[in-house]
Amino acid sequence: MRNYVFRLFVTGGSARSEDALKNLRRICEEHVAGQYDLSVIDVLEHPQQAEALKILATPTLIKDGPPPPRRLIGDLSAYMEVVDGLDLQPKAPNTE
Amino acid sequence: MSGPQAAARVAKLRTGIPGIDFLTHGGLPEGRTCVVSGTAGSGKTILALHFLAAGIAEGQPGVFVTFEEPAEDLRRNVGSFGWDLAAWERGGRLAIIDATPDPATEEALAVGDYDLGGLVSRIAHAAGRVGARRIALDSLGSLFAQFTDHGIVRREIRRILSSLRPLGLTGLATSERVAEYGAVGRFGVEEFVADGVIILRNTLTEMRRRRTVEVLKMRGSAHAKGEHPFIILDGVGVEVIPLSALRLDPPASDVRRPTGIPELDAMCGGGFFENSIVIVSGATGTGKTLLATYFLGALPDEGPALMVAYEEGREQITRNARNWGLDLGPLLTSGQLRIECRYPEAAGLEDHLVHIKQLVDAHTPSRLVIDSLSALERIASDKSFREFAIDLTAFLKQHSVLTLLTTTTPTLTGGASLTNTHISTIADGIILLRHVELYGELQRGLAVLKMRGSDVDRRIREIIVSGEGLRIGEPIRNVAGVLSGNLTYILDDQSGFTRMAPRGPAEGGDGHPS
């Protein structure tokens, strides 16, 4: 079973960040429900993490797994581009 | 919006880079960001780092945001300027933000609208961590390569720059130009960074690289106009040569120093004034170097002496001096006399100028010879040579160095040289050396054309050089036109005959070298 690990870097409180989170949640629920971990990091509160990962843009979505790792920037409003960009494979039918 | 009123509203932050502080009339507008615009290789990164290094030296920590050159490369590449970035980072005086694209991460795919909030937050964090007063961003233009939506990049550059003001940061942001002249910047960054624009140029003139800096605008303040030469110097960074920085108020002195030749002392009214600049002009072989050697080597009690030689090597100079009865060996051994030899063509004029200044600063000579100034004239355009001559003479005056500059006239018989026209008005004294053909025999003549504030002996006298040394003899009589090279022999009561010499070249026909 696949497990998608996402980190979303946002600038706290900005409309763009909230849009990105909303869009990402919707896409994940529709494609990989129950198969993903998402942590949201506010660069204003955790600039060191932004520094360590060399984040310039917000929102930045980092897909840590499964490989290949990907980075997406933007409010994730283009639905199909996000699905393709993250290489989301819908949950296979339960085969036991 | 200009004039004293506006100037009073904008506080200045002295950069600590002397030439830049002069050109900007006291530094950069505090709490604002100015743009440094230039082509690739024009020295933008070095100026931006020098701005931070000068701040750190004055106890003002800084943040460097690098968009192009990875931080690791930067730390390694600027060591030659004496900037130990890693040590400053460890000491909490510098923070480097590496905003270069990471080759290890896959290129970010843009999906929808974004901002550069990550960078803004990193800058604020770094500035707070080190207590930064200054920031440099190098270069804004590379953001356009990393992020393809230029509309967003423009909006975000504006946001980044406005985020710096509440942090109390004074900044320099670099930006690329495509050509040395024409539109200011490639991406028009300068248009919305309205606080100041500095342009760096790197042009090829007469087969030599010439770097210049121009302050195009500076908010709320007057500034020096036009292009000013600068060089990039190891151990220093950016060294601007601000011609107009020179003021004509060098210390005046009425103390006279001996010239090294007693008869010349008498001709000049008792010697040279101690902070004066004297030109010795003459054709090749008239004894300029010899006279200069006596000036430096015959007076061991006159303090340290320095010779910068562009035409002869040290060995040749000392050997010739020995043949003329002057042993420079002891002075050279004791360090009282230094002879520095360089090929004029080995460097640009600006480099020679800085080299001379460094030698003077390091050895604080009380007297100096440059032999010859005309050798340097060969390697430069007319305009840059004039700037060089003015800057050099002003520097030497400010340092109270008694200086003898030799210049070589283009023709054997005399006449004007370009060097003379450029600097004869700046010089305090002019001594002419001439070949004089007397009844089929070549002799050397010497005349003091000008010696500011002195009662001079204006007769042309014979120079006698022998193994015992250099002496100045009797006035040369019965001949006219020595200055111009057009000799005319005059009726002499004793010899009783008159003869016309063949006419020489027609240049300098007014009989005055300047």
Side-chain angles (χ1 to χ4, degrees):
Chain A
M1 180 171 141
R2 294 174 179 279
N3 202 24
Y4 291 88
V5 180
F6 297 122
R7 280 181 289 176
L8 181 65
F9 287 82
V10 298
T11 303
S14 80
R16 215 172 276 121
S17 297
E18 278 165 24
D19 286 349
L21 186 56
K22 209 164 58 195
N23 289 332
L24 179 64
R25 283 230 164 92
R26 185 161 68 95
I27 290 164
C28 286
E29 286 303 321
E30 288 176 17
H31 287 81
V32 291
Q35 299 180 76
Y36 70 95
D37 295 326
L38 169 62
S39 38
V40 179
I41 298 131
D42 184 348
V43 295
L44 297 179
E45 286 170 31
H46 304 285
Q48 307 93 318
Q49 288 198 43
E51 186 64 45
L53 287 160
K54 298 183 71 178
I55 305 287
L56 297 181
T58 51
T60 292
L61 176 64
I62 296 180
K63 177 187 143 193
D64 290 312
R70 293 305 304 265
R71 268 189 193 217
L72 266 57
I73 59 174
D75 59 17
L76 310 176
S77 53
Y79 188 95
M80 280 318 292
E81 285 179 43
V82 177
V83 173
D84 287 349
L86 294 177
D87 194 20
L88 298 182
Q89 312 279 338
K91 195 200 283 194
N94 200 345
T95 53
E96 293 295 317
Chain B
M1 276 309 289
S2 61
Q5 255 193 326
R9 285 203 303 273
V10 180
K12 290 290 192 72
L13 179 87
R14 289 187 60 81
T15 64
I17 308 171
I20 298 292
D21 285 337
F22 171 76
L23 295 180
T24 54
H25 289 194
L28 302 179
E30 191 159 21
R32 313 288 182 100
T33 301
C34 296
V35 164
V36 177
S37 195
T39 52
S42 60
K44 300 185 294 292
T45 304
I46 293 163
L47 178 60
L49 264 173
H50 193 165
F51 168 66
L52 293 188
I56 287 166
E58 291 179 14
Q60 300 173 358
V63 173
F64 192 86
V65 187
T66 175
F67 293 101
E68 229 165 40
E69 198 173 355
E72 204 35 63
D73 294 1
L74 201 65
R75 291 184 190 101
R76 200 172 43 240
N77 293 345
V78 302
S80 64
F81 297 110
W83 303 331
D84 191 343
L85 304 189
W88 291 338
E89 288 176 278
R90 282 194 302 275
R93 295 189 285 170
L94 172 72
I96 298 179
I97 295 178
D98 190 332
T100 58
D102 190 345
T105 37
E106 217 174 314
E107 201 180 330
L109 176 69
V111 186
D113 191 20
Y114 55 90
D115 54 48
L116 295 183
L119 179 59
V120 170
S121 130
R122 287 164 68 186
I123 290 174
H125 176 247
R129 187 165 57 82
V130 299
R133 293 279 313 278
R134 302 183 181 206
I135 186 165
L137 303 113
D138 183 49
S139 73
L140 290 180
S142 10
L143 280 173
F144 289 94
Q146 280 197 55
F147 299 98
T148 47
D149 187 328
H150 289 193
I152 292 182
V153 174
R154 268 169 223 280
R155 183 191 73 201
E156 291 304 308
I157 286 177
R158 200 176 277 119
R159 201 162 81 95
I160 293 166
L161 297 180
S162 63
S163 80
L164 303 179
R165 286 186 70 174
L167 298 171
L169 295 173
T170 304
L172 271 188
T174 68
S175 156
E176 293 74 16
R177 308 185 74 197
V178 180
E180 296 298 350
Y181 294 92
V184 172
R186 184 170 179 183
F187 299 106
V189 170
E190 297 78 4
E191 286 165 24
F192 50 91
V193 183
D195 293 320
V197 177
I198 295 171
I199 295 181
L200 301 183
R201 292 190 177 88
N202 182 13
T203 54
L204 195 62
T205 338
E206 306 205 349
M207 296 174 64
R208 293 222 159 253
R209 284 270 153 217
R210 183 164 189 265
R211 297 179 185 278
T212 61
V213 52
E214 176 184 10
V215 177
L216 195 67
K217 68 173 184 179
M218 199 53 61
R219 180 186 286 271
S221 145
H223 56 83
K225 307 286 193 296
E227 295 179 41
H228 297 262
F230 77 94
I231 60 167
I232 288 169
L233 193 62
D234 274 359
V236 175
V238 170
E239 171 108 5
V240 185
I241 301 157
L243 190 61
S244 35
L246 311 167
R247 295 177 187 89
L248 277 173
D249 57 354
S253 168
D254 53 7
V255 177
R256 288 180 190 270
R257 316 292 340 173
T259 64
I261 303 160
E263 297 92 338
L264 186 58
D265 291 349
M267 288 179 78
C268 298
F272 300 145
F273 284 120
E274 68 181 354
N275 63 347
S276 58
I277 289 169
V278 178
I279 294 176
V280 177
S281 168
T284 178
T286 46
K288 297 185 300 296
T289 306
L290 175 57
L291 194 133
T293 313
Y294 267 81
F295 171 72
L296 294 179
L299 303 161
D301 300 329
E302 284 292 308
L306 171 67
M307 179 181 225
V308 186
Y310 296 108
E311 294 186 345
E312 289 173 294
R314 191 178 290 106
E315 287 306 310
Q316 196 179 348
I317 292 167
T318 51
R319 189 197 58 216
N320 289 349
R322 205 161 42 240
N323 291 342
W324 299 321
L326 189 62
D327 185 6
L328 300 177
L331 286 178
L332 285 168
T333 311
S334 69
Q336 178 99 19
L337 170 65
R338 287 184 64 93
I339 301 178
E340 291 284 331
C341 304
R342 275 204 163 187
Y343 280 111
E345 285 81 5
L349 205 52
E350 287 84 6
D351 299 286
H352 282 300
L353 179 60
V354 170
H355 177 239
I356 295 170
K357 287 181 173 180
Q358 283 177 330
L359 287 171
V360 168
D361 283 336
H363 305 298
T364 57
S366 58
R367 45 182 67 203
L368 167 74
V369 163
I370 294 177
D371 186 39
S372 71
L373 208 55
S374 2
L376 293 179
E377 192 179 326
R378 289 204 304 266
I379 64 165
S381 70
D382 228 34
K383 179 170 179 288
S384 21
F385 185 76
R386 195 180 57 82
E387 291 172 356
F388 163 83
I390 293 172
D391 192 342
L392 174 68
T393 49
F395 171 84
L396 295 172
K397 289 228 152 201
Q398 270 151 8
H399 287 71
S400 298
V401 185
L402 173 52
T403 303
L404 213 137
L405 307 170
T406 70
T407 71
T408 307
T409 50
T411 58
L412 272 184
T413 46
S417 88
L418 259 183
T419 315
N420 290 351
T421 28
H422 280 321
I423 59 174
S424 57
T425 50
I426 304 162
D428 300 293
I430 300 175
I431 294 172
L432 300 178
L433 297 178
R434 291 290 185 262
H435 289 297
V436 183
E437 186 196 342
L438 280 178
Y439 312 120
E441 194 180 317
L442 267 182
Q443 297 193 5
R444 294 161 168 146
L446 178 148
V448 179
L449 183 76
K450 151 179 164 181
M451 198 59 62
R452 202 166 274 165
S454 305
D455 185 17
V456 300
D457 175 354
R458 296 185 61 88
R459 286 175 295 185
I460 297 164
R461 287 175 178 269
E462 186 187 1
I463 300 178
I464 304 149
V465 183
S466 69
E468 269 113 72
L470 184 148
R471 274 189 47 239
I472 297 174
E474 292 301 308
I476 297 173
R477 301 176 60 201
N478 310 333
V479 60
V482 170
L483 288 179
S484 63
N486 299 333
L487 293 191
T488 310
Y489 297 88
I490 298 164
L491 178 69
D492 184 285
D493 289 343
Q494 279 87 52
S495 61
F497 69 94
T498 305
R499 193 170 48 159
M500 293 296 291
R503 289 189 62 83
E507 88 293 319
D510 63 353
H512 198 284
S514 60

